[in-house]
Amino acid sequence: PVWRERERRASRHTLSADGADLADFLGFLSRHLGAEPGLEALQALRPADLRGFMAERARKDGVGTATRARQLAAIRGFLRFLARHHGLQPLALAGLRGPKVTPPAPRPLTPDQARGVVEEAGSVENSTLLTLRDTALFTLLYGCGLRISEALDLNVGQAPRAGIGLKVRGKGDKERLVPVLPAVERAVAAYLAARGNPPPEQPLFLGARGGRLDAGMAQRALRTYRRLAGLPESATPHALRHSFATHLLGAGGDLRSIQELLGHASLSTTQRYTTVDSAKLLETWQKAHPRAG
């Protein structure tokens, strides 16, 4: 939708989702009111109308809480746009709360599974260069806890160096310094050597056609490797980031330090990434707590 593109500079995926959500809502209003809704009808919307739409989506279409919350957010944005640019003052927004969304707990891989991703990528022989690329990328994601977008935004001149650290530009254009393991440096260096040591301004990770690697292609590559290794479907690029945080915490890492490494603005976000089994927590408590004995 043009309103979303102008107001929020949203991605094409968000634009597509918002368009579908608004089409669902306007279709509901057409059935509800007996005619396509114009500005006058939208002006007269009541909270009950929006609740009716949410209830219908849950009852007839079986959509979950997260989807309904997303749809309500799209409708709110659309009505605010009309208020700013067309003088619409909808009463329906006042005091209306969306469904409460409880984010699912991330499912980290075990240390053996995380290593298995890297080892499986390194064992595939269909394309030496692509194999080295995927091994470097997956090692970087797990070894440094990067978001997939952060890794793919890097150029050759920003290749990770052990002992120096890696400068990463994350959400909100905030920069952070991440320590680099020797294994990460070796994996990336092997890939760059196979590319003939390209100039620093080139993308660090290239797609098959020579441009910057797309996140969707990276996810597809990991799907291939996880099938070969017999890993669960939860083994995604982002799961490697989850695993980085969880394994650090399980080894005694400080939650605040992990927050800085991940580039989280809120500690509560970091806590969602750090799932440690109860037995490990009890073992740590018994070793560390002065009254445990």
Side-chain angles (χ1 to χ4, degrees), residues 95-165:
L96 182 67
R97 295 181 178 272
K100 185 176 180 180
V101 179
T102 303
R107 290 183 292 171
L109 305 175
T110 67
D112 285 343
Q113 287 175 332
R115 285 192 293 269
V117 169
V118 176
E119 291 168 0
E120 192 61 47
S123 69
V124 176
E125 299 178 357
N126 59 341
S127 171
T128 301
L129 186 59
L130 293 184
T131 298
L132 289 171
R133 181 201 69 190
D134 294 341
T135 301
L137 176 59
F138 301 153
T139 304
L140 178 62
L141 294 177
Y142 178 53
C144 294
L146 301 192
R147 299 177 178 95
I148 182 69
S149 59
E150 293 169 345
L152 299 183
D153 281 345
L154 295 173
N155 290 331
V156 171
Q158 300 166 289
R161 301 283 189 272
I164 297 176

Side-chain angles (χ1 to χ4, degrees), residues 47 50-51 54 68-69 72-73 76 92-100:
L50 292 180
R51 291 194 190 98
M54 294 289 133
R68 284 181 284 130
L72 182 58
R76 282 177 181 275
L93 290 178
L96 182 67
R97 295 181 178 272
K100 185 176 180 180

Side-chain angles (χ1 to χ4, degrees), residues 139-225:
T139 304
L140 178 62
L141 294 177
Y142 178 53
C144 294
L146 301 192
R147 299 177 178 95
I148 182 69
S149 59
E150 293 169 345
L152 299 183
D153 281 345
L154 295 173
N155 290 331
V156 171
Q158 300 166 289
R161 301 283 189 272
I164 297 176
L166 174 64
K167 282 188 177 180
V168 179
R169 194 170 297 279
K171 289 185 177 180
D173 210 30
K174 293 181 180 178
E175 195 173 73
R176 68 186 189 276
L177 186 65
V178 180
V180 175
L181 297 170
V184 175
E185 181 182 6
R186 287 195 299 269
V188 174
Y191 166 55
L192 292 179
R195 281 174 54 186
N197 295 311
E201 66 274 10
Q202 281 197 10
L204 181 57
F205 297 105
L206 293 180
R209 297 182 180 180
R212 191 177 296 273
L213 179 62
D214 177 77
M217 294 304 298
Q219 291 162 349
R220 185 181 302 176
L222 187 47
R223 283 198 297 271
T224 299
Y225 297 130

